[in-house]
């Protein structure tokens, strides 16, 4: 199959994997209330479970990035999808576990399968897929990456509806995790035959290591590129905010406005991600055309998205009614989509192809470490102040957007032209 045709099949396959990547992650936030009711977990414990997941991804990304530049991306992505799907299945069996005379509390069992095991399984997917897509898509890079990101929104947008339906049909939250995990596992198995690496013969040599550069050469290149650090500040802010919204928005709406768990999950996921999907798909089409004339267009669009998104986040938290909250979260979704359409494309503007998995891994280290703090912050605020704590949390999220916009402006005005890669 010619690369010109295969690149779109590849995009469809990876988008399907990204759907499960995000849907499986969102399930925990959507089902937080029934999980807490059955297992007796506090908001602080839920916050720690979400934060440790982010920290596991951060720690693993430092290893996964350089490995992704050296080993077969086909096998790393396939193994990652199968591994995290199996861990999602295991979430259906968590609880107080007895091993001999030792009883392991449910909190630690959930922590292991949800945060540590799932995090290790997911860790090789994130650094590999952008570089995989970029290797096949050059003139259509922003469009391809925006479609890939769009699959994230489809996953998050529909998983609320699917989870609510599955919860009613299957009966318990445990069966929902098992169903999603099995579906992801079957997709992963199909990748063994459907994926192929961009380099001829790579799929037949899954463990062939490239020795041209040292293992740390990508880290050194990133460290010496100021524009990459500035761009990463925006990604850290995006992950910080997205984690908080994904894990806590359904519970916040349910408790503040007296909405059912299923309705809160469906509404907070649907409208926000639907508008983000529209923004990212249209943004990818526009960006690929305008960036040829104005190379800094990607960067400028991201800065504007952060500046516009800050007041939307603030008003989402302090909304006086359900409708207001949904409108503001949808507006924040538009801003999020306008930023994420160029998350990796902006990085690849200043990082050469041989270091892109490493650079993406570094992005993930900082983004998931600092981004993971939002889980603890929101949990602590909720435990101490109730729904008002969530409102304070949304004000903190808005401040993170403003700070990131300021840092990214340094690249826009001072360092981007010097660091830009010509392809």
């Amino acid at each position: 199959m010619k690369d010109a045709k295969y690149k779109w099949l590849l995009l469809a396959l990876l988008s399907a994997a990204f759907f499960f990547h995000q849907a499986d992650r969102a399930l925990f936030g959507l089902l937080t209330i029934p999980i807490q009711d059955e297992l007796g977990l506090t908001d602080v414990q839920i916050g720690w479970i979400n934060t440790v997941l982010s920290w596991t991804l951060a720690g693993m990304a430092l290893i996964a990035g350089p490995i992704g530049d050296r080993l077969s991306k086909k096998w790393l992505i396939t193994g990652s999808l199968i591994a995290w799907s199996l861990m999602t299945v295991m979430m259906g069996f968590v609880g107080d576990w007895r091993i001999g005379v030792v009883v392991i509390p449910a909190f630690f069992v959930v922590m292991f399968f949800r945060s540590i095991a799932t995090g290790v399984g997911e860790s090789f997917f994130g650094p590999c897929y952008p570089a995989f897509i970029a290797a096949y898509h050059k003139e259509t890079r922003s469009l391809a990456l925006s479609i890939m990101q769009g699959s994230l929104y489809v996953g998050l947008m529909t998983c609320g509806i699917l989870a609510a339906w599955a919860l009613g049909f299957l009966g318990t939250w445990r069966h929902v995790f098992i169903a999603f995990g099995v579906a992801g596992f079957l997709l992963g198995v199909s990748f063994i035959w459907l994926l192929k690496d961009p380099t001829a013969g790579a799929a037949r040599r899954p463990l062939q290591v490239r020795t041209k550069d040292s293992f740390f050469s990508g880290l050194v290149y990133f460290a010496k590129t100021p524009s990459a650090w500035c761009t990463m500040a925006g990604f850290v802010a995006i992950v910080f905010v997205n984690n908080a919204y994904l894990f806590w928005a359904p519970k916040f709406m349910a408790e503040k406005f007296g909405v059912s768990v299923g309705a809160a999950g469906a509404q907070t996921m649907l409208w926000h991600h639907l508008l983000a999907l529209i923004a990212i798909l249209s943004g990818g089409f526009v960006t690929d055309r305008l960036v040829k004339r104005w190379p800094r267009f990607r960067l400028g669009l991201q800065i504007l998205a952060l500046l516009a998104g800050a007041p939307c986040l603030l008003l989402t938290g302090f909304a006086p009614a359900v409708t207001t909250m949904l409108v503001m979260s949808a507006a924040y979704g538009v801003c999020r989509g306008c930023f994420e359409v160029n998350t990796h494309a902006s990085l690849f503007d200043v990082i050469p192809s041989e270091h892109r998995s490493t650079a993406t891994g570094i992005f993930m280290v900082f983004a998931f470490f600092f981004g993971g703090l939002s889980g603890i912050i929101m949990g602590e605020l909720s435990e101490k102040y109730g729904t008002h704590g969530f409102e304070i949390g949304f004000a903190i999220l808005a401040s993170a957007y403003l700070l990131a916009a300021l840092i990214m402006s340094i690249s826009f005005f001072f360092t981007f032209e010097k660091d830009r890669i010509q392809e």
Side-chain angles (χ1 to χ4, degrees):
M1 184 181 297
K2 295 182 178 179
D3 285 352
K5 294 181 179 179
Y6 180 77
K7 68 179 184 179
W8 297 110
L9 174 60
L10 172 70
L11 181 61
L13 295 172
L14 295 182
S15 294
F18 209 15
F19 171 92
F20 285 102
H21 184 276
Q22 294 301 311
D24 288 358
R25 189 177 296 180
L27 284 179
F28 194 77
L30 294 167
L31 301 172
T32 291
I33 291 178
I35 290 172
Q36 285 182 296
D37 290 343
E38 181 175 335
L39 301 181
L41 303 178
T42 67
D43 280 357
V44 172
Q45 288 176 322
I46 293 293
W48 272 109
I49 289 169
N50 293 328
T51 294
V52 171
L53 170 62
S54 293
W55 286 354
T56 301
L57 290 168
M60 287 297 300
L62 195 59
I63 303 171
I67 289 177
D69 280 328
R70 284 157 175 77
L71 302 186
S72 164
K73 291 179 175 61
K74 166 187 173 172
W75 292 106
L76 290 174
I77 287 173
T78 300
S80 181
L81 174 55
I82 291 175
W84 91 60
S85 296
L86 290 175
M87 294 307 101
T88 299
V89 171
M90 290 303 301
M91 275 297 297
F93 303 94
V94 297
D96 292 335
W97 280 17
R98 180 181 294 276
I99 302 178
V101 296
V102 178
V103 176
I104 304 176
F107 169 64
F108 294 105
V109 177
V110 175
M111 176 80 76
F112 175 78
F113 285 110
R114 175 64 186 171
S115 305
I116 299 173
T118 297
V120 172
E122 290 182 355
S123 62
F124 289 95
F125 184 80
C128 288
Y129 83 79
F132 206 173
I133 291 174
Y136 281 98
H137 292 265
K138 294 180 173 60
E139 295 297 324
T140 55
R141 183 168 298 165
S142 284
L143 177 60
L145 290 172
S146 69
I147 292 173
M148 181 71 178
Q149 190 69 18
S151 66
L152 176 153
Y153 300 146
V154 172
L156 296 176
M157 180 173 58
T158 59
C159 70
I161 299 172
L162 290 173
W165 173 83
L167 187 61
F169 180 76
L170 299 174
T172 72
W173 58 268
R174 296 178 180 276
H175 293 148
V176 177
F177 277 102
I178 293 171
F180 272 80
V182 169
F185 172 79
L186 294 176
L187 178 66
V189 172
S190 74
F191 278 12
I192 296 174
W193 294 277
L194 295 176
L195 288 190
K196 69 173 185 176
D197 283 298
T199 302
R204 295 190 298 273
R205 299 189 300 274
L207 298 180
Q208 183 177 9
V209 178
R210 189 179 52 187
T211 58
K212 179 181 179 181
D213 300 318
S214 72
F215 187 79
F216 298 104
S217 59
L219 301 177
V220 173
Y221 193 99
F222 189 101
K224 293 181 178 179
T225 309
S227 296
W229 288 97
C230 293
T231 301
M232 184 172 67
F235 187 53
V236 170
I238 287 289
V239 173
F240 183 83
V241 173
N242 290 352
N243 280 350
Y245 186 86
L246 181 65
F247 294 138
W248 292 111
K251 182 173 183 178
F252 174 44
M253 174 180 280
E255 292 188 347
K256 183 174 182 178
F257 301 111
V259 179
S260 69
V261 174
Q267 294 295 319
T268 53
M269 295 297 111
L270 175 61
W271 301 111
H272 168 75
H273 293 104
L274 176 61
L275 270 294
L277 176 63
I278 294 172
I280 200 169
L281 293 179
S282 58
F285 181 81
V286 171
T287 298
D288 277 332
R289 283 149 181 78
L290 295 183
V291 77
K292 296 176 182 179
R293 184 178 300 178
W294 299 296
R296 290 185 296 176
F297 178 81
R298 287 191 179 107
L299 195 56
L301 180 62
Q302 289 180 303
I303 294 170
L304 290 175
L306 292 171
L307 292 174
C312 296
L313 284 165
L314 185 64
L315 293 173
T316 297
F318 287 91
V322 171
T323 301
T324 308
M325 179 181 175
L326 293 176
V327 169
M328 287 298 100
S329 68
Y332 146 54
V334 173
C335 298
R336 173 184 175 179
C338 288
F339 183 97
E340 292 186 341
V341 66
N342 287 307
T343 296
H344 295 98
S346 289
L347 174 64
F348 296 167
D349 278 344
V350 296
I351 297 292
S353 59
E354 63 268 23
H355 298 314
R356 284 173 179 166
S357 287
T358 298
T360 304
I362 297 172
F363 255 42
M364 294 177 64
V365 169
F366 283 86
F368 286 117
F369 178 79
F370 291 105
L373 294 174
S374 63
I376 297 176
I377 293 172
M378 296 292 268
E380 292 282 358
L381 289 171
S382 170
E383 199 84 1
K384 189 172 184 180
Y385 301 109
T387 55
H388 182 57
F390 284 126
E391 294 173 340
I392 297 172
F394 273 95
I396 295 173
L397 302 183
S399 300
Y401 262 32
L402 293 177
L403 178 60
L406 178 62
I407 296 174
M408 292 187 72
S409 296
I410 297 173
S411 174
F412 186 87
F413 290 109
F414 301 109
T415 65
F416 178 80
E417 288 300 330
K418 178 177 69 70
D419 294 335
R420 185 162 67 97
I421 300 296
Q422 300 287 345
E423 287 188 292

